[in-house]
Amino acid sequence: MAKEKKGVRLEHVSKIYKDPKTRKDFYAVHDVSLDIKPGSFVTLLGPSGCGKTTILRMIAGFESPDEGEIYLGDEAINAITPNKRDTAMVFQSYALLPHYNVYDNIAYGLKLRKLDKETIRRKVTDILALVGLEGSESRMTNQLSGGQQQRVALARALVLEPGVLLFDEPLSNLDAKLRVSMRTEIRRIQQEAGITAIYVTHDQSEAMAISDQIIIMEKGVKAQVGSPQEIYYQPVNEFVADFIGEANFLRGHVAGKTGDKYLINIDNNIVEIPDNGYSFEGGDCTVVLRPEGAVLADAGQLPCEVILSCFMGSYQNYHVMVGDTMIKISVFNPKNKKIYEVGDKAYVVFDENSIHIL
Ligand code: ATP
């Protein structure tokens, strides 16, 4: 459907704003370089205020970078106005025309481009089928549900056949269940349309579910770029590990090496960890352990005491103390497993391949 899939490149892009309270300049986005491949679905993810919307708005042309250059395909676009850029944006607020029906909302941009009536009808009909709104042409948009309005907003952007589709938290106004079904829909439509998509969210499960690549932002700086699996299993620092999913951090010290395994001292217990090319500066390290990467047993690597044991249906949730460190463990399918109660002594047993060292 799209004319041409376009990649997006940012080269050392920064945006400086003035803090309204202190009146001092600060970097909302600082020295961010990105290479977004044509046809991929890329998500900018991070806590509120980390600069993700500012990056999206600079790509759309609503803001201009103070430093660096943005490329759409091979073209440098800093000096090009938003309406001349080959991008379209889907907003959180939908931004539909309230007194127009579905057809006219979608046709609006095509009419501005002065396409003939028959071409407009064909394009709008095709897009309505793609977003699952056939037969809704004459309904007024203010009489539609939130999910239907978001489909119209998506159709209105897609019908322009942009090289790149930009999404600014498009599902934030929908309830949790609808968000989950709409995100799957957005992914399907993006793949069917074969379009490059850049999507802003602060919802990590949304990002994991739909993205080819996730860009994690922290305070205006790019913290990590990778596939959902890379970000989850090989986070580059504690911020990323903690932001994506849950993580336990165990402080350790390298006590030696036998063959291809490091011996790590954690709270005076020696555990063996495979050498995955880690470099240990100064010998100290942090072991990242996901709650589902460990179980409790009567013997194992780290002796512990249970301080919380909670049945959650599909898993048993434990909090245990290893020395002074609290560790969260989720044991899935607990029905036929031994359940440890508060006060029990046990051992944390982890699969050495499911941990990651920082
Ligand atoms: P959120 O998830 O809350 O939308 P975000 O990650 O998208 O956050 P941005 O909207 O990009 O963050 O804002 C980054 C920083 O720049 C924030 O500190 C914000 O307050 C500030 N900021 C954004 N727009 C302006 C502006 N026009 N003038 C001054 N400061 C701004």
Side-chain angles (χ1 to χ4, degrees), residues 179-210:
R179 270 211 308 268
V180 171
S181 64
M182 272 302 285
R183 76 189 187 202
T184 314
E185 274 288 276
I186 286 179
R187 178 62 159 156
R188 175 189 68 76
I189 292 164
Q190 177 262 341
Q191 284 179 323
E192 254 175 64
I195 199 168
T196 311
I198 307 177
Y199 189 101
V200 162
T201 183
H202 57 261
D203 180 336
Q204 47 121 344
S205 57
E206 204 164 286
M208 298 272 271
I210 55 177

Side-chain angles (χ1 to χ4, degrees), residues 17-18 20 26 28 46-55 63 169 200 202:
Y17 285 130
K18 209 174 265 306
F26 74 100
S48 185
C50 68
K52 48 197 190 298
T53 307
T54 302
I55 291 180
E63 302 283 352
E169 306 230 15
V200 162
H202 57 261

Side-chain angles (χ1 to χ4, degrees), residues 295-299 309 316 318 331 333-341 344-346:
V295 292
L296 289 185
D298 293 340
S309 174
Q316 187 79 17
Y318 292 111
V331 177
N333 193 15
K335 189 169 183 208
N336 296 319
K337 304 213 168 97
K338 175 170 177 181
I339 300 298
Y340 293 86
E341 303 296 345
D344 284 352
K345 305 266 193 249

Side-chain angles (χ1 to χ4, degrees), residues 214-227:
I214 298 176
I215 300 156
I216 306 265
M217 295 290 301
E218 181 188 13
K219 295 183 187 150
V221 175
K222 180 178 79 178
Q224 188 169 2
V225 180
S227 68

